[in-house]
Amino acid sequence: MKFFIDTANLADIKEAQDLGVLDGVTTNPSLMAKEGIAGTENVINHYKAICEIVDGDVSAEVISTDFEGMIKEGEELAALHPQIVVKIPMTKDGIKACKYFSNKGIRTNVTLVFSVGQALLAAKAGATYVSPFLGRLDDISMDGLNLIEEIREVYDNYLFETQILAASVRHTMHIVNCAKIGADVMTGPLSSILGLLKHPLTDSGLAQFLADHAKANS
């Protein structure tokens, strides 16, 4: 499974990259705003800065909601850097734009997916990634992991090449469970990735090793 980090924070991205397990980055307008990145030129420069840190794909989201606007923005974003993947919303115009980009060889990430039907349309339109938001489904007492399982089944039935990018990952167990059910990619905060490192027996075992070493060499 690929590990993406869902942030626009350069320090978090660098820390994840330095860990040696990072495969890409996802961003959105909310994450940009959280970091105080505003204005077209500043946003563009920030995407370029992210691409300089990571080796993998960087999802950059369009703001437009109409077909023509998505095409204009998406082509501009794709031209910024070879690592850029154009992120487009799961709407009628978004699917049309996805097909357009697919025909042009521009990679896409269809976002805000909450049903198998939506994921099926995205795959049919040639999406590179589809992003089901499992955390947001959990928030309203629906099973986000079950959605990913169902998408996996449909994609495997028809050998779709679209990758399932489990989005809105909130914690470490989301990552583990997504890996169990076959998500191609997960994207979440740095804390969810670092949480995979933790186990009390690792901590106590290392402490014992160090104590025994110190005793034997005192």
Side-chain angles (χ1 to χ4, degrees):
M1 182 170 66
K2 295 179 183 177
F3 278 25
F4 286 8
I5 187 171
D6 191 37
T7 187
N9 184 284
L10 298 182
D12 282 358
I13 294 169
K14 188 176 187 307
E15 184 173 351
Q17 176 71 15
D18 290 346
L19 192 61
V21 300
L22 190 65
D23 298 295
V25 176
T26 55
T27 62
N28 59 48
S30 296
L31 293 172
M32 283 288 189
K34 183 178 178 181
E35 299 302 319
I37 310 300
T40 301
E41 185 175 351
N42 289 332
V43 169
I44 287 173
N45 289 335
H46 204 73
Y47 281 134
K48 290 179 179 178
I50 292 173
C51 290
E52 290 174 1
I53 296 173
V54 302
D55 299 321
D57 292 345
V58 176
S59 286
E61 188 163 346
V62 300
I63 304 299
S64 296
T65 57
D66 63 290
F67 175 76
E68 290 78 12
M70 290 184 200
I71 298 308
K72 181 177 184 297
E73 277 189 63
E75 289 182 333
E76 290 172 352
L77 288 170
L80 291 179
H81 198 280
Q83 290 168 233
I84 292 290
V85 175
V86 179
K87 197 173 182 182
I88 49 182
M90 169 44 74
T91 62
K92 183 178 179 180
D93 279 359
I95 290 299
K96 289 169 62 178
C98 180
K99 184 62 176 178
Y100 172 90
F101 289 133
S102 178
N103 289 340
K104 294 286 187 178
I106 294 173
R107 295 175 302 146
T108 55
N109 177 358
V110 177
T111 189
L112 292 170
V113 168
F114 294 98
S115 75
V116 177
Q118 290 178 328
L120 180 57
L121 284 174
K124 288 282 290 179
T128 309
Y129 298 100
V130 62
S131 292
F133 275 45
L134 68 97
R136 294 195 189 186
L137 284 170
D138 288 354
D139 288 344
I140 58 170
S141 301
M142 296 185 70
D143 191 343
L145 290 168
N146 183 64
L147 172 59
I148 293 174
E149 282 187 296
E150 291 180 341
I151 296 171
R152 178 80 280 156
E153 180 181 2
V154 170
Y155 281 14
D156 289 349
N157 282 347
Y158 299 100
L159 303 179
F160 285 123
E161 295 182 0
T162 300
Q163 297 180 56
I164 302 171
L165 194 164
S168 190
V169 163
R170 302 285 174 78
H171 49 71
T172 299
M173 282 310 299
H174 268 163
I175 299 176
V176 172
N177 288 324
C178 284
K180 287 181 179 179
I181 60 181
D184 299 292
V185 191
M186 82 84 207
T187 188
L190 178 62
S191 59
S192 67
I193 299 173
L194 295 180
L196 294 168
L197 292 166
K198 299 176 182 178
H199 197 286
L201 293 180
T202 301
D203 296 338
S204 62
L206 180 58
Q208 186 63 55
F209 291 158
L210 294 175
D212 289 344
H213 173 78
K215 184 177 179 180
N217 292 275
S218 59

